[in-house]
Amino acid sequence: MEDNIGADDGSIKEQDRLLPIANVGRIMKQILPPNAKVSKEAKEMMQECVSEFIGFVTSEASEKCRKERRKTVNGDDMCWAMEALGFDNYAGPLRRYLHRYRDFEGDKANQDKAMNNSSVSKGVEQSLS
Amino acid sequence: MRKAGLYSRISSSSSGRSGSQQHSLPLARIKKIMKKSGDGVKMISGEAPIVFSRAIELFIEELTRKSWVLAAEGKRRTLQRDDVVSAIHGTDVFDFLVDLVCVSDQQNKRRESPVESETETVGSKRPKVGP
């Protein structure tokens, strides 16, 4: 839900470059004790930091792709960039996450293919009957 | 949304955490911010924003944790902007955020006291030279 309804074009573009404050605030609160509170300014600061982090890592990954003459930045490039920029403790979990995602997508693609084959044959049978 | 369900299955199996740790960051917004990071960013694979959404969680968690230590030292239960700023200054890997913090501080100072001189720097008080 956008909270900038009726705002001028400037602030709408401003919101586009930040992740939603509700999402950011929720992640912050999840790591804190139950009685902790987070000021609005702290959440706004975190929004800015996250966007800066995204740009920082993406630039590094993009530069790697450029040097290797590749056009598309992929998940491996993101992991490499984070390691290169000092976020070593993120790289391991992210690589595992990425491999699981790829396995999951691979399994899902196989399942979809199998389902499509059976549904296509059923569809053909129904249209013929 | 399919992607949200996908995240929860991957995250709960990878880290062993409970299913309540859902990934709820908007992929399209992440991709938009990535594309704005420079002219060289042309094409982004579908998996990149998904990896990034997890990385952003780790980033927020780390910075929040470090900020909270400072708030707790001040015997406060509310995390303030200055705690985040101090955590940034106190952590080497967050050096890339130092310029952002300086700009943000200057903007805040202008908002608080618009009549003050533009040349006044953060943290210093120089005597004003009269006419």
mmCIF file of all heavy atoms in Angstrom, chain B residues 69-119:
data_model
loop_
_atom_site.group_PDB
_atom_site.id
_atom_site.type_symbol
_atom_site.label_atom_id
_atom_site.label_comp_id
_atom_site.label_asym_id
_atom_site.label_seq_id
_atom_site.Cartn_x
_atom_site.Cartn_y
_atom_site.Cartn_z
ATOM 1 N N VAL B 69 23.262 -2.431 19.740
ATOM 2 C CA VAL B 69 24.279 -2.490 20.793
ATOM 3 C C VAL B 69 24.511 -1.085 21.351
ATOM 4 O O VAL B 69 24.604 -0.874 22.559
ATOM 5 C CB VAL B 69 25.596 -3.090 20.240
ATOM 6 C CG1 VAL B 69 26.750 -2.863 21.194
ATOM 7 C CG2 VAL B 69 25.419 -4.574 19.952
ATOM 8 N N LEU B 70 24.564 -0.104 20.452
ATOM 9 C CA LEU B 70 24.808 1.279 20.866
ATOM 10 C C LEU B 70 23.603 1.847 21.611
ATOM 11 O O LEU B 70 23.751 2.576 22.593
ATOM 12 C CB LEU B 70 25.136 2.127 19.633
ATOM 13 C CG LEU B 70 26.380 1.649 18.867
ATOM 14 C CD1 LEU B 70 26.501 2.338 17.528
ATOM 15 C CD2 LEU B 70 27.621 1.886 19.697
ATOM 16 N N ALA B 71 22.415 1.517 21.151
ATOM 17 C CA ALA B 71 21.208 1.992 21.838
ATOM 18 C C ALA B 71 21.149 1.404 23.246
ATOM 19 O O ALA B 71 20.835 2.100 24.222
ATOM 20 C CB ALA B 71 19.959 1.610 21.051
ATOM 21 N N ALA B 72 21.482 0.120 23.342
ATOM 22 C CA ALA B 72 21.442 -0.553 24.641
ATOM 23 C C ALA B 72 22.475 0.042 25.594
ATOM 24 O O ALA B 72 22.226 0.174 26.792
ATOM 25 C CB ALA B 72 21.682 -2.052 24.459
ATOM 26 N N GLU B 73 23.639 0.423 25.041
ATOM 27 C CA GLU B 73 24.671 1.059 25.877
ATOM 28 C C GLU B 73 24.156 2.371 26.448
ATOM 29 O O GLU B 73 24.525 2.771 27.544
ATOM 30 C CB GLU B 73 25.941 1.319 25.056
ATOM 31 C CG GLU B 73 26.811 0.092 24.881
ATOM 32 C CD GLU B 73 27.982 0.347 23.944
ATOM 33 O OE1 GLU B 73 28.186 1.508 23.509
ATOM 34 O OE2 GLU B 73 28.674 -0.628 23.618
ATOM 35 N N GLY B 74 23.320 3.056 25.678
ATOM 36 C CA GLY B 74 22.715 4.297 26.149
ATOM 37 C C GLY B 74 21.454 4.056 26.956
ATOM 38 O O GLY B 74 20.717 4.995 27.251
ATOM 39 N N LYS B 75 21.205 2.798 27.296
ATOM 40 C CA LYS B 75 20.043 2.381 28.089
ATOM 41 C C LYS B 75 18.725 2.840 27.451
ATOM 42 O O LYS B 75 17.811 3.304 28.135
ATOM 43 C CB LYS B 75 20.154 2.882 29.540
ATOM 44 C CG LYS B 75 21.403 2.371 30.246
ATOM 45 C CD LYS B 75 21.237 2.389 31.749
ATOM 46 C CE LYS B 75 22.582 2.145 32.455
ATOM 47 N NZ LYS B 75 23.285 0.949 32.015
ATOM 48 N N ARG B 76 18.679 2.754 26.134
ATOM 49 C CA ARG B 76 17.446 3.117 25.421
ATOM 50 C C ARG B 76 16.831 1.879 24.790
ATOM 51 O O ARG B 76 17.535 0.930 24.433
ATOM 52 C CB ARG B 76 17.761 4.145 24.317
ATOM 53 C CG ARG B 76 17.984 5.548 24.833
ATOM 54 C CD ARG B 76 18.322 6.518 23.728
ATOM 55 N NE ARG B 76 19.698 6.351 23.288
ATOM 56 C CZ ARG B 76 20.045 5.792 22.144
ATOM 57 N NH1 ARG B 76 19.128 5.325 21.329
ATOM 58 N NH2 ARG B 76 21.307 5.691 21.804
ATOM 59 N N ARG B 77 15.521 1.894 24.669
ATOM 60 C CA ARG B 77 14.838 0.776 24.012
ATOM 61 C C ARG B 77 14.354 1.156 22.615
ATOM 62 O O ARG B 77 13.770 0.334 21.922
ATOM 63 C CB ARG B 77 13.647 0.313 24.854
ATOM 64 C CG ARG B 77 14.054 -0.524 26.063
ATOM 65 C CD ARG B 77 12.856 -1.089 26.761
ATOM 66 N NE ARG B 77 11.924 -0.035 27.145
ATOM 67 C CZ ARG B 77 10.730 -0.260 27.648
ATOM 68 N NH1 ARG B 77 10.291 -1.480 27.808
ATOM 69 N NH2 ARG B 77 9.938 0.740 27.974
ATOM 70 N N THR B 78 14.577 2.411 22.260
ATOM 71 C CA THR B 78 14.182 2.842 20.911
ATOM 72 C C THR B 78 15.433 3.081 20.079
ATOM 73 O O THR B 78 16.299 3.879 20.457
ATOM 74 C CB THR B 78 13.339 4.135 20.965
ATOM 75 O OG1 THR B 78 12.196 3.895 21.778
ATOM 76 C CG2 THR B 78 12.892 4.554 19.572
ATOM 77 N N LEU B 79 15.512 2.401 18.963
ATOM 78 C CA LEU B 79 16.649 2.565 18.062
ATOM 79 C C LEU B 79 16.493 3.893 17.333
ATOM 80 O O LEU B 79 15.463 4.151 16.701
ATOM 81 C CB LEU B 79 16.658 1.413 17.050
ATOM 82 C CG LEU B 79 17.950 1.179 16.296
ATOM 83 C CD1 LEU B 79 19.014 0.651 17.209
ATOM 84 C CD2 LEU B 79 17.725 0.204 15.150
ATOM 85 N N GLN B 80 17.516 4.743 17.438
ATOM 86 C CA GLN B 80 17.452 6.053 16.817
ATOM 87 C C GLN B 80 18.360 6.113 15.600
ATOM 88 O O GLN B 80 19.264 5.278 15.433
ATOM 89 C CB GLN B 80 17.890 7.136 17.821
ATOM 90 C CG GLN B 80 17.084 7.197 19.092
ATOM 91 C CD GLN B 80 15.709 7.812 18.874
ATOM 92 O OE1 GLN B 80 15.360 8.216 17.765
ATOM 93 N NE2 GLN B 80 14.911 7.875 19.920
ATOM 94 N N ARG B 81 18.137 7.124 14.796
ATOM 95 C CA ARG B 81 18.939 7.319 13.592
ATOM 96 C C ARG B 81 20.420 7.416 13.931
ATOM 97 O O ARG B 81 21.279 6.860 13.226
ATOM 98 C CB ARG B 81 18.459 8.595 12.896
ATOM 99 C CG ARG B 81 19.096 8.831 11.550
ATOM 100 C CD ARG B 81 18.653 10.185 10.995
ATOM 101 N NE ARG B 81 19.462 10.538 9.862
ATOM 102 C CZ ARG B 81 20.688 11.062 9.946
ATOM 103 N NH1 ARG B 81 21.219 11.294 11.121
ATOM 104 N NH2 ARG B 81 21.374 11.347 8.858
ATOM 105 N N ASP B 82 20.752 8.116 15.003
ATOM 106 C CA ASP B 82 22.153 8.297 15.385
ATOM 107 C C ASP B 82 22.828 6.973 15.737
ATOM 108 O O ASP B 82 24.053 6.835 15.579
ATOM 109 C CB ASP B 82 22.275 9.270 16.563
ATOM 110 C CG ASP B 82 22.106 10.708 16.111
ATOM 111 O OD1 ASP B 82 22.127 10.949 14.881
ATOM 112 O OD2 ASP B 82 21.957 11.596 16.969
ATOM 113 N N ASP B 83 22.049 6.017 16.223
ATOM 114 C CA ASP B 83 22.630 4.696 16.523
ATOM 115 C C ASP B 83 23.085 4.045 15.222
ATOM 116 O O ASP B 83 24.149 3.410 15.162
ATOM 117 C CB ASP B 83 21.594 3.786 17.215
ATOM 118 C CG ASP B 83 21.124 4.351 18.534
ATOM 119 O OD1 ASP B 83 21.968 4.896 19.285
ATOM 120 O OD2 ASP B 83 19.912 4.243 18.830
ATOM 121 N N VAL B 84 22.259 4.194 14.183
ATOM 122 C CA VAL B 84 22.607 3.620 12.877
ATOM 123 C C VAL B 84 23.856 4.322 12.327
ATOM 124 O O VAL B 84 24.781 3.686 11.817
ATOM 125 C CB VAL B 84 21.431 3.754 11.879
ATOM 126 C CG1 VAL B 84 21.795 3.162 10.534
ATOM 127 C CG2 VAL B 84 20.179 3.061 12.426
ATOM 128 N N VAL B 85 23.876 5.656 12.471
ATOM 129 C CA VAL B 85 25.026 6.439 11.990
ATOM 130 C C VAL B 85 26.301 5.995 12.696
ATOM 131 O O VAL B 85 27.340 5.787 12.071
ATOM 132 C CB VAL B 85 24.768 7.944 12.207
ATOM 133 C CG1 VAL B 85 26.025 8.747 11.942
ATOM 134 C CG2 VAL B 85 23.632 8.421 11.314
ATOM 135 N N SER B 86 26.225 5.853 14.019
ATOM 136 C CA SER B 86 27.410 5.443 14.792
ATOM 137 C C SER B 86 27.862 4.038 14.415
ATOM 138 O O SER B 86 29.065 3.766 14.343
ATOM 139 C CB SER B 86 27.108 5.489 16.292
ATOM 140 O OG SER B 86 26.729 6.789 16.673
ATOM 141 N N ALA B 87 26.905 3.154 14.167
ATOM 142 C CA ALA B 87 27.257 1.787 13.771
ATOM 143 C C ALA B 87 27.992 1.802 12.426
ATOM 144 O O ALA B 87 28.930 1.036 12.208
ATOM 145 C CB ALA B 87 26.002 0.917 13.678
ATOM 146 N N ILE B 88 27.541 2.689 11.535
ATOM 147 C CA ILE B 88 28.196 2.799 10.222
ATOM 148 C C ILE B 88 29.638 3.257 10.397
ATOM 149 O O ILE B 88 30.571 2.694 9.825
ATOM 150 C CB ILE B 88 27.414 3.779 9.318
ATOM 151 C CG1 ILE B 88 26.105 3.134 8.868
ATOM 152 C CG2 ILE B 88 28.256 4.207 8.115
ATOM 153 C CD1 ILE B 88 25.127 4.094 8.229
ATOM 154 N N HIS B 89 29.817 4.280 11.243
ATOM 155 C CA HIS B 89 31.165 4.798 11.461
ATOM 156 C C HIS B 89 32.059 3.777 12.147
ATOM 157 O O HIS B 89 33.277 3.792 11.972
ATOM 158 C CB HIS B 89 31.111 6.088 12.291
ATOM 159 C CG HIS B 89 30.647 7.273 11.499
ATOM 160 N ND1 HIS B 89 31.323 7.732 10.398
ATOM 161 C CD2 HIS B 89 29.577 8.098 11.661
ATOM 162 C CE1 HIS B 89 30.692 8.787 9.904
ATOM 163 N NE2 HIS B 89 29.631 9.031 10.644
ATOM 164 N N GLY B 90 31.475 2.899 12.934
ATOM 165 C CA GLY B 90 32.263 1.953 13.708
ATOM 166 C C GLY B 90 32.540 0.623 13.029
ATOM 167 O O GLY B 90 33.152 -0.266 13.615
ATOM 168 N N THR B 91 32.068 0.462 11.780
ATOM 169 C CA THR B 91 32.240 -0.825 11.095
ATOM 170 C C THR B 91 32.905 -0.590 9.742
ATOM 171 O O THR B 91 32.370 0.130 8.904
ATOM 172 C CB THR B 91 30.871 -1.505 10.878
ATOM 173 O OG1 THR B 91 30.130 -1.469 12.081
ATOM 174 C CG2 THR B 91 31.041 -2.947 10.446
ATOM 175 N N ASP B 92 34.056 -1.241 9.546
ATOM 176 C CA ASP B 92 34.827 -1.023 8.304
ATOM 177 C C ASP B 92 34.034 -1.337 7.046
ATOM 178 O O ASP B 92 34.088 -0.597 6.066
ATOM 179 C CB ASP B 92 36.085 -1.911 8.311
ATOM 180 C CG ASP B 92 37.111 -1.401 9.301
ATOM 181 O OD1 ASP B 92 36.988 -0.230 9.722
ATOM 182 O OD2 ASP B 92 38.030 -2.163 9.663
ATOM 183 N N VAL B 93 33.291 -2.438 7.083
ATOM 184 C CA VAL B 93 32.604 -2.884 5.867
ATOM 185 C C VAL B 93 31.486 -1.919 5.462
ATOM 186 O O VAL B 93 31.014 -1.953 4.330
ATOM 187 C CB VAL B 93 32.092 -4.335 6.046
ATOM 188 C CG1 VAL B 93 30.780 -4.385 6.796
ATOM 189 C CG2 VAL B 93 31.975 -5.029 4.711
ATOM 190 N N PHE B 94 31.091 -1.040 6.385
ATOM 191 C CA PHE B 94 30.053 -0.049 6.075
ATOM 192 C C PHE B 94 30.641 1.302 5.689
ATOM 193 O O PHE B 94 29.933 2.312 5.669
ATOM 194 C CB PHE B 94 29.099 0.123 7.271
ATOM 195 C CG PHE B 94 28.280 -1.102 7.591
ATOM 196 C CD1 PHE B 94 27.965 -1.408 8.910
ATOM 197 C CD2 PHE B 94 27.835 -1.953 6.590
ATOM 198 C CE1 PHE B 94 27.209 -2.545 9.214
ATOM 199 C CE2 PHE B 94 27.095 -3.084 6.884
ATOM 200 C CZ PHE B 94 26.789 -3.377 8.204
ATOM 201 N N ASP B 95 31.933 1.315 5.375
ATOM 202 C CA ASP B 95 32.583 2.570 4.976
ATOM 203 C C ASP B 95 31.913 3.222 3.771
ATOM 204 O O ASP B 95 31.909 4.445 3.640
ATOM 205 C CB ASP B 95 34.057 2.314 4.636
ATOM 206 C CG ASP B 95 34.943 2.385 5.875
ATOM 207 O OD1 ASP B 95 34.424 2.752 6.947
ATOM 208 O OD2 ASP B 95 36.145 2.077 5.776
ATOM 209 N N PHE B 96 31.359 2.414 2.885
ATOM 210 C CA PHE B 96 30.730 2.966 1.681
ATOM 211 C C PHE B 96 29.511 3.826 2.013
ATOM 212 O O PHE B 96 29.013 4.557 1.154
ATOM 213 C CB PHE B 96 30.362 1.842 0.703
ATOM 214 C CG PHE B 96 29.195 0.988 1.143
ATOM 215 C CD1 PHE B 96 27.919 1.243 0.662
ATOM 216 C CD2 PHE B 96 29.372 -0.056 2.035
ATOM 217 C CE1 PHE B 96 26.844 0.456 1.060
ATOM 218 C CE2 PHE B 96 28.316 -0.850 2.441
ATOM 219 C CZ PHE B 96 27.045 -0.581 1.947
ATOM 220 N N LEU B 97 29.035 3.724 3.240
ATOM 221 C CA LEU B 97 27.847 4.485 3.651
ATOM 222 C C LEU B 97 28.210 5.825 4.312
ATOM 223 O O LEU B 97 27.321 6.626 4.600
ATOM 224 C CB LEU B 97 27.013 3.669 4.647
ATOM 225 C CG LEU B 97 26.393 2.398 4.090
ATOM 226 C CD1 LEU B 97 25.834 1.546 5.220
ATOM 227 C CD2 LEU B 97 25.293 2.728 3.091
ATOM 228 N N VAL B 98 29.508 6.054 4.544
ATOM 229 C CA VAL B 98 29.905 7.249 5.304
ATOM 230 C C VAL B 98 29.486 8.522 4.577
ATOM 231 O O VAL B 98 28.967 9.453 5.195
ATOM 232 C CB VAL B 98 31.431 7.212 5.567
ATOM 233 C CG1 VAL B 98 31.933 8.560 5.997
ATOM 234 C CG2 VAL B 98 31.743 6.182 6.631
ATOM 235 N N ASP B 99 29.677 8.563 3.269
ATOM 236 C CA ASP B 99 29.294 9.770 2.517
ATOM 237 C C ASP B 99 27.786 9.988 2.577
ATOM 238 O O ASP B 99 27.306 11.114 2.689
ATOM 239 C CB ASP B 99 29.714 9.637 1.048
ATOM 240 C CG ASP B 99 31.216 9.751 0.892
ATOM 241 O OD1 ASP B 99 31.867 10.226 1.848
ATOM 242 O OD2 ASP B 99 31.743 9.364 -0.163
ATOM 243 N N LEU B 100 27.041 8.927 2.510
ATOM 244 C CA LEU B 100 25.580 9.018 2.564
ATOM 245 C C LEU B 100 25.148 9.645 3.891
ATOM 246 O O LEU B 100 24.272 10.494 3.946
ATOM 247 C CB LEU B 100 24.978 7.615 2.439
ATOM 248 C CG LEU B 100 23.483 7.472 2.643
ATOM 249 C CD1 LEU B 100 22.730 7.999 1.451
ATOM 250 C CD2 LEU B 100 23.107 6.006 2.882
ATOM 251 N N VAL B 101 25.818 9.223 4.956
ATOM 252 C CA VAL B 101 25.487 9.716 6.286
ATOM 253 C C VAL B 101 25.816 11.192 6.404
ATOM 254 O O VAL B 101 25.036 11.975 6.960
ATOM 255 C CB VAL B 101 26.262 8.904 7.355
ATOM 256 C CG1 VAL B 101 26.249 9.601 8.678
ATOM 257 C CG2 VAL B 101 25.679 7.532 7.485
ATOM 258 N N CYS B 102 26.933 11.616 5.834
ATOM 259 C CA CYS B 102 27.320 13.029 5.900
ATOM 260 C C CYS B 102 26.315 13.886 5.165
ATOM 261 O O CYS B 102 25.880 14.915 5.652
ATOM 262 C CB CYS B 102 28.702 13.242 5.274
ATOM 263 S SG CYS B 102 30.003 12.583 6.304
ATOM 264 N N VAL B 103 25.903 13.456 3.975
ATOM 265 C CA VAL B 103 24.917 14.201 3.187
ATOM 266 C C VAL B 103 23.612 14.272 3.944
ATOM 267 O O VAL B 103 22.980 15.317 4.065
ATOM 268 C CB VAL B 103 24.699 13.520 1.820
ATOM 269 C CG1 VAL B 103 23.468 14.067 1.128
ATOM 270 C CG2 VAL B 103 25.916 13.716 0.932
ATOM 271 N N SER B 104 23.223 13.130 4.520
ATOM 272 C CA SER B 104 21.967 13.057 5.248
ATOM 273 C C SER B 104 22.002 13.962 6.468
ATOM 274 O O SER B 104 21.039 14.647 6.792
ATOM 275 C CB SER B 104 21.739 11.602 5.650
ATOM 276 O OG SER B 104 20.490 11.441 6.219
ATOM 277 N N ASP B 105 23.147 14.020 7.164
ATOM 278 C CA ASP B 105 23.291 14.878 8.327
ATOM 279 C C ASP B 105 23.143 16.342 7.931
ATOM 280 O O ASP B 105 22.466 17.115 8.612
ATOM 281 C CB ASP B 105 24.678 14.681 8.966
ATOM 282 C CG ASP B 105 24.670 13.556 9.977
ATOM 283 O OD1 ASP B 105 23.568 13.108 10.340
ATOM 284 O OD2 ASP B 105 25.753 13.123 10.408
ATOM 285 N N GLN B 106 23.752 16.724 6.821
ATOM 286 C CA GLN B 106 23.685 18.114 6.380
ATOM 287 C C GLN B 106 22.255 18.491 6.020
ATOM 288 O O GLN B 106 21.791 19.577 6.334
ATOM 289 C CB GLN B 106 24.606 18.352 5.191
ATOM 290 C CG GLN B 106 26.061 18.448 5.603
ATOM 291 C CD GLN B 106 27.003 18.541 4.414
ATOM 292 O OE1 GLN B 106 26.575 18.665 3.283
ATOM 293 N NE2 GLN B 106 28.287 18.483 4.671
ATOM 294 N N GLN B 107 21.536 17.577 5.404
ATOM 295 C CA GLN B 107 20.149 17.847 5.037
ATOM 296 C C GLN B 107 19.307 18.035 6.284
ATOM 297 O O GLN B 107 18.458 18.914 6.351
ATOM 298 C CB GLN B 107 19.577 16.714 4.196
ATOM 299 C CG GLN B 107 20.057 16.745 2.765
ATOM 300 C CD GLN B 107 19.622 15.540 1.976
ATOM 301 O OE1 GLN B 107 19.158 14.563 2.539
ATOM 302 N NE2 GLN B 107 19.783 15.588 0.677
ATOM 303 N N ASN B 108 19.564 17.209 7.305
ATOM 304 C CA ASN B 108 18.810 17.314 8.543
ATOM 305 C C ASN B 108 19.083 18.642 9.226
ATOM 306 O O ASN B 108 18.182 19.286 9.750
ATOM 307 C CB ASN B 108 19.168 16.173 9.496
ATOM 308 C CG ASN B 108 18.434 14.906 9.140
ATOM 309 O OD1 ASN B 108 17.465 14.940 8.388
ATOM 310 N ND2 ASN B 108 18.881 13.787 9.670
ATOM 311 N N LYS B 109 20.364 19.050 9.207
ATOM 312 C CA LYS B 109 20.720 20.315 9.859
ATOM 313 C C LYS B 109 20.035 21.470 9.148
ATOM 314 O O LYS B 109 19.558 22.399 9.770
ATOM 315 C CB LYS B 109 22.235 20.520 9.847
ATOM 316 C CG LYS B 109 22.925 19.744 10.935
ATOM 317 C CD LYS B 109 24.157 20.490 11.442
ATOM 318 C CE LYS B 109 24.732 19.813 12.654
ATOM 319 N NZ LYS B 109 24.246 20.356 13.887
ATOM 320 N N ARG B 110 19.968 21.412 7.823
ATOM 321 C CA ARG B 110 19.316 22.493 7.082
ATOM 322 C C ARG B 110 17.847 22.541 7.409
ATOM 323 O O ARG B 110 17.260 23.604 7.531
ATOM 324 C CB ARG B 110 19.514 22.291 5.577
ATOM 325 C CG ARG B 110 20.772 22.929 5.077
ATOM 326 C CD ARG B 110 20.786 23.001 3.569
ATOM 327 N NE ARG B 110 22.090 22.590 3.108
ATOM 328 C CZ ARG B 110 22.329 21.504 2.382
ATOM 329 N NH1 ARG B 110 21.348 20.731 1.999
ATOM 330 N NH2 ARG B 110 23.551 21.187 2.021
ATOM 331 N N ARG B 111 17.253 21.361 7.582
ATOM 332 C CA ARG B 111 15.818 21.313 7.903
ATOM 333 C C ARG B 111 15.550 21.892 9.269
ATOM 334 O O ARG B 111 14.574 22.583 9.505
ATOM 335 C CB ARG B 111 15.337 19.862 7.860
ATOM 336 C CG ARG B 111 14.606 19.529 6.587
ATOM 337 C CD ARG B 111 14.001 18.166 6.655
ATOM 338 N NE ARG B 111 14.663 17.261 5.733
ATOM 339 C CZ ARG B 111 15.001 16.025 6.014
ATOM 340 N NH1 ARG B 111 14.761 15.505 7.176
ATOM 341 N NH2 ARG B 111 15.592 15.270 5.122
ATOM 342 N N GLU B 112 16.486 21.574 10.235
ATOM 343 C CA GLU B 112 16.270 22.022 11.614
ATOM 344 C C GLU B 112 16.482 23.523 11.748
ATOM 345 O O GLU B 112 15.754 24.208 12.432
ATOM 346 C CB GLU B 112 17.230 21.294 12.558
ATOM 347 C CG GLU B 112 16.842 19.849 12.806
ATOM 348 C CD GLU B 112 18.000 19.057 13.392
ATOM 349 O OE1 GLU B 112 18.998 19.683 13.792
ATOM 350 O OE2 GLU B 112 17.899 17.833 13.433
ATOM 351 N N SER B 113 17.555 24.070 11.099
ATOM 352 C CA SER B 113 17.865 25.488 11.248
ATOM 353 C C SER B 113 18.189 26.067 9.889
ATOM 354 O O SER B 113 19.353 26.215 9.538
ATOM 355 C CB SER B 113 19.027 25.679 12.219
ATOM 356 O OG SER B 113 20.032 24.715 11.974
ATOM 357 N N PRO B 114 17.173 26.412 9.116
ATOM 358 C CA PRO B 114 17.388 26.874 7.744
ATOM 359 C C PRO B 114 18.104 28.198 7.644
ATOM 360 O O PRO B 114 18.666 28.537 6.641
ATOM 361 C CB PRO B 114 15.968 26.980 7.163
ATOM 362 C CG PRO B 114 15.080 27.073 8.346
ATOM 363 C CD PRO B 114 15.758 26.369 9.468
ATOM 364 N N VAL B 115 18.093 29.030 8.740
ATOM 365 C CA VAL B 115 18.712 30.349 8.638
ATOM 366 C C VAL B 115 20.222 30.294 8.803
ATOM 367 O O VAL B 115 20.924 31.242 8.549
ATOM 368 C CB VAL B 115 18.137 31.329 9.682
ATOM 369 C CG1 VAL B 115 16.674 31.558 9.406
ATOM 370 C CG2 VAL B 115 18.328 30.816 11.087
ATOM 371 N N GLU B 116 20.753 29.140 9.286
ATOM 372 C CA GLU B 116 22.188 29.062 9.517
ATOM 373 C C GLU B 116 22.930 29.006 8.212
ATOM 374 O O GLU B 116 22.399 28.626 7.188
ATOM 375 C CB GLU B 116 22.518 27.849 10.382
ATOM 376 C CG GLU B 116 22.116 28.072 11.811
ATOM 377 C CD GLU B 116 22.503 26.901 12.692
ATOM 378 O OE1 GLU B 116 23.264 26.041 12.242
ATOM 379 O OE2 GLU B 116 22.035 26.859 13.827
ATOM 380 N N SER B 117 24.242 29.328 8.298
ATOM 381 C CA SER B 117 25.079 29.395 7.112
ATOM 382 C C SER B 117 25.189 28.036 6.456
ATOM 383 O O SER B 117 25.295 27.015 7.104
ATOM 384 C CB SER B 117 26.462 29.902 7.502
ATOM 385 O OG SER B 117 27.361 29.675 6.460
ATOM 386 N N GLU B 118 25.208 28.025 5.095
ATOM 387 C CA GLU B 118 25.341 26.774 4.353
ATOM 388 C C GLU B 118 26.721 26.183 4.523
ATOM 389 O O GLU B 118 26.952 25.025 4.282
ATOM 390 C CB GLU B 118 25.109 27.025 2.859
ATOM 391 C CG GLU B 118 23.686 27.393 2.522
ATOM 392 C CD GLU B 118 22.763 26.186 2.577
ATOM 393 O OE1 GLU B 118 22.921 25.289 1.758
ATOM 394 O OE2 GLU B 118 21.888 26.148 3.460
ATOM 395 N N THR B 119 27.701 27.062 4.877
ATOM 396 C CA THR B 119 29.066 26.565 4.945
ATOM 397 C C THR B 119 29.379 25.907 6.278
ATOM 398 O O THR B 119 30.451 25.391 6.491
ATOM 399 C CB THR B 119 30.076 27.712 4.739
ATOM 400 O OG1 THR B 119 29.824 28.705 5.744
ATOM 401 C CG2 THR B 119 29.907 28.330 3.364
#
